[in-house]
């Protein structure tokens, strides 16, 4: 893409971004990968445990093969780095996600926050910003937390 994004619009369930003579499409898969990357990068870098967890979660959620997952994550990382103005545009895809998908995304993001075993305030702040930006309601976040704790602390 060139330096300036000229036009962005939703076309059904895809975000179309036009810049100069280039047109790119982004869908919910890209949005989910981008949100996970965004949360993982809160501390400045993505830890190896977070990378491994993102690959695992995306493969499982979308039923992708390893190479496809790696390609999706690599694209999300590079495009978000090269085009930081893309991030707020991606949030326009939030309303295209079902409540169930938003809940799954919130759960995946919580798993990324916990992946490296460190409690980083910056990651939870980034998590909250991302969830708010894509329109995840407090009720959906609450259900995601319930699911997370049910998986990680069974019997409590």
């Amino acid at each position: 893409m060139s330096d300036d994004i000229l036009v962005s619009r939703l076309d059904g369930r895809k975000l179309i971004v036009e810049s100069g003579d280039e047109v790119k499409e982004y869908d919910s898969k890209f949005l989910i990968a981008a949100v996970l990357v965004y949360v993982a990068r809160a501390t400045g870098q993505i830890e190896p445990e977070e990378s491994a967890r993102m690959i695992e979660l995306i493969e499982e959620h979308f039923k992708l093969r390893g190479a496809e997952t790696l390609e999706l994550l690599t694209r999300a990382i590079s495009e978000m780095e090269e085009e930081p103005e893309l991030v707020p545009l991606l949030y326009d895809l939030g309303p295209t996600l079902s409540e169930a998908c938003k809940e799954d995304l919130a759960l995946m993001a919580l798993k990324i926050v916990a992946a490296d075993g460190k409690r980083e305030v910056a990651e939870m702040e980034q998590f909250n910003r991302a969830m708010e930006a894509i329109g995840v309601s407090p009720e959906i976040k609450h259900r995601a937390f319930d699911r997370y704790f049910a998986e990680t602390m069974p019997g409590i």
Side-chain angles (χ1 to χ4, degrees), residues 70-91:
L70 196 52
E71 182 181 327
L72 177 61
L73 280 169
T74 300
R75 180 178 172 221
I77 290 168
S78 65
E79 290 195 26
M80 289 169 63
E81 191 171 291
E82 293 167 12
E83 302 288 340
E85 64 273 11
L86 175 64
V87 175
L89 297 175
L90 287 172
Y91 297 142

Side-chain angles (χ1 to χ4, degrees), residues 1-7 16-24:
M1 269 189 207
S2 67
D3 291 338
D4 297 316
I5 292 178
L6 301 176
V7 179
I16 310 297
V17 178
E18 298 177 32
S19 179
D21 59 353
E22 190 172 17
V23 177
K24 290 190 177 184

Side-chain angles (χ1 to χ4, degrees), residues 96-128:
T96 70
L97 301 177
S98 68
E99 283 196 9
C101 188
K102 288 178 181 180
E103 185 179 326
D104 289 344
L105 174 55
L107 177 61
M108 288 188 281
L110 289 171
K111 290 178 179 181
I112 296 304
V113 168
D116 62 2
K118 300 174 189 168
R119 294 182 185 182
E120 300 282 349
V121 172
E123 286 177 332
M124 281 309 298
E125 289 173 346
Q126 201 92 314
F127 166 84
N128 285 321

Side-chain angles (χ1 to χ4, degrees), residues 91 94-95 102 130-138 140:
Y91 297 142
K102 288 178 181 180
M131 295 302 107
E132 183 178 326
I134 60 172
V136 176
S137 70
I140 293 172

Side-chain angles (χ1 to χ4, degrees), residues 36-46 50 77 80-81 126:
L36 297 181
V37 167
Y38 178 78
V39 170
R41 267 203 178 141
T43 58
Q45 67 180 20
I46 299 173
E50 293 166 334
I77 290 168
M80 289 169 63
E81 191 171 291
Q126 201 92 314

